[in-house]
Amino acid sequence: MSIQFFYEKNLEGVANSVKRKQEQYRKIVRHLYYNDATSIAGIVKAVHISQPLVASLVDDLIGYGMLLDSGVGESIGGRRPNLFCINPDYQYVIGVEINLHTLNLAVFDLSNNQIQKEEIKYFDLEDSEEYLLALVEMIEMLISKLDVPKERYLSIGVSIPGLVDAKLGLSYTHLSVAANGLANYLAERIGLNVLLDNDARIMALGEKAFGKAIDKENVLCLNLTNGIGLGMILNGELHSGKNGFAGEFGHIPIEPNGELCHCGKIGCLETLTSGKVLVQNVKKAMEKGQPTILAQYQKEGKKIDLRSVVEAIKAEDQFAIDQLNQICEYLGKGLVTLIHLLNPEMVIIGGRMAHTGKYVLDPVRMSMNKYAMRRISSETEIVCSDLLDNAALMGTMANVMRIALNLD
């Protein structure tokens, strides 16, 4: 899985020499991407390359357009040093967030700024050639809106629900009709490198790079939308498992005599606590005449889906809050298993249900207090994401850059 910066495609010379120089360039670029503007002396200290060579390499990267001279810094004795930084407009990254019912697209510069964003509502995920063609069309339309040649795009990062083998670029749950795998399909038709992964893991990368998991080593990131996804940061790294299937938290068996799950098994956690279950429970009660402001939403022509239920909870509709409390009992119970096994320092609740804030946090905490060993659970902070709907798109950017800057 290789991504090349634009300047790297034109490096010439003996293979070993080119590889060595490429590694030296990337050490500098990596340091400047993850840190503020830095002087030559600061770069030398960080990358452990001699000062004359660093100065020469930085000059090369400025000539390529990859770096910029960003002025002078504070003096620590003697002349004030020149500072250098990444050129944010040198290349761009495209983020694609595939959801069950919507599609979100964004273009990022190398300073992680979203310079273009598109949300396509009612873009229902279907395992069909027609959906694939529409997806390619949406990405191409996004590219056409910016006056940027394709070679200036570093990569496309894609997140999708379900089982995903990121190394092979394969999506097993959705869009398995794509020839040679979804990543290869998109790369061939769009002409850009594509990195694919599961949505919950991508969200975890977003939290680690830009959210509440910054500087944290062991964090569980829950994607609570229609289903339940789990991304795990363990010992500071994304944990994917042998084939990239780690984190199927929603399919832990909880109720032996429970409902049939869409995975084919009986009584999965997801059949007891998920956005889908919350909406189903709300609709059943409404059919029996349950008083709720959701009935007014329905009269106004609003669809009774997870968005509208979350809206009702935020509006302090007691019925909707009670329904959320009921499913959070199971969610907290399931989380106790993870906390006892992994002893994380933080659990971040993300996805659509994170918009409810305290209304999802409080019952989950109560359930955990009921079932967890206090000595372990008291060391685990439970919070809602600050990134919310941006987590997956930000995660696609983080995923592309961690691969692009990997020095292994």
Side-chain angles (χ1 to χ4, degrees), residues 374-391:
R374 177 163 177 76
R375 186 68 180 172
I376 298 176
S377 65
S378 63
E379 298 296 324
T380 303
E381 187 179 5
I382 304 177
V383 298
C384 278
S385 171
D386 286 337
L387 298 179
L388 294 173
D389 295 342
N390 279 321

Side-chain angles (χ1 to χ4, degrees), residues 60-324:
D60 289 348
L61 289 168
I62 290 174
Y64 294 138
M66 182 77 201
L67 300 187
L68 297 175
D69 186 327
S70 67
V72 294
E74 294 297 322
S75 173
I76 54 174
R79 292 178 56 189
R80 296 171 66 190
N82 276 43
L83 301 179
F84 303 93
C85 65
I86 297 283
N87 177 1
D89 296 319
Y90 182 71
Q91 280 187 278
Y92 302 90
V93 172
I94 297 171
V96 179
E97 178 191 359
I98 299 172
N99 298 309
L100 292 180
H101 304 295
T102 60
L103 177 70
N104 294 317
L105 307 169
V107 175
F108 298 88
D109 65 20
L110 294 185
S111 289
N112 307 312
N113 299 309
Q114 283 186 19
I115 60 172
Q116 184 79 25
K117 184 178 180 182
E118 303 285 340
E119 180 183 10
I120 298 96
K121 296 181 179 179
Y122 313 115
F123 200 82
D124 291 342
L125 180 53
E126 299 175 354
D127 200 19
S128 67
E129 184 68 26
E130 289 75 19
Y131 181 95
L132 288 169
L133 292 172
L135 176 61
V136 170
E137 182 182 357
M138 292 297 105
I139 297 171
E140 291 282 14
M141 283 179 62
L142 178 73
I143 293 172
S144 70
K145 291 182 178 181
L146 297 173
D147 187 22
V148 177
K150 269 195 179 177
E151 61 265 25
R152 289 296 179 177
Y153 288 99
L154 184 61
S155 182
I156 301 174
V158 181
S159 79
I160 189 170
L163 295 177
V164 176
D165 186 326
K167 290 180 180 178
L168 297 179
L170 300 175
S171 173
Y172 293 97
T173 306
H174 303 288
L175 300 181
S176 57
V177 296
N180 301 318
L182 181 57
N184 283 332
Y185 178 95
L186 294 175
E188 288 170 3
R189 279 154 183 78
I190 299 171
L192 295 171
N193 180 281
V194 175
L195 292 179
L196 174 73
D197 210 338
N198 164 270
D199 58 349
R201 285 195 294 275
I202 288 292
M203 289 174 70
L205 286 174
E207 294 292 345
K208 176 63 177 167
F210 308 110
K212 287 187 172 176
I214 291 176
D215 298 328
K216 305 291 183 186
E217 291 293 306
N218 296 282
V219 181
L220 304 181
C221 301
L222 291 178
N223 179 12
L224 299 184
T225 306
N226 290 292
I228 304 175
L230 172 66
M232 296 178 283
I233 304 294
L234 302 179
N235 298 320
E237 300 291 336
L238 181 70
H239 180 72
S240 299
K242 180 178 182 293
N243 298 109
F245 301 157
E248 289 300 318
F249 176 51
H251 298 290
I252 293 175
I254 294 290
E255 180 52 68
N257 300 313
E259 300 290 329
L260 176 67
C261 182
H262 63 83
C263 74
K265 304 301 180 181
I266 299 291
C268 291
L269 179 63
E270 205 166 282
T271 66
L272 299 167
T273 176
S274 65
K276 182 179 179 181
V277 171
L278 176 62
V279 173
Q280 286 175 344
N281 292 347
V282 164
K283 285 181 175 179
K284 286 177 184 176
M286 288 177 65
E287 288 170 1
K288 296 176 181 177
Q290 172 67 46
T292 167
I293 62 173
L294 285 161
Q296 181 60 38
Y297 290 173
Q298 200 168 42
K299 288 179 183 178
E300 294 170 358
K302 286 186 180 180
K303 185 178 179 181
I304 303 303
D305 56 11
L306 187 56
R307 283 178 182 266
S308 58
V309 174
V310 166
E311 189 178 325
I313 291 168
K314 292 170 69 177
E316 301 185 348
D317 180 73
Q318 192 57 52
F319 162 69
I321 292 170
D322 289 344
Q323 292 299 310
L324 179 62

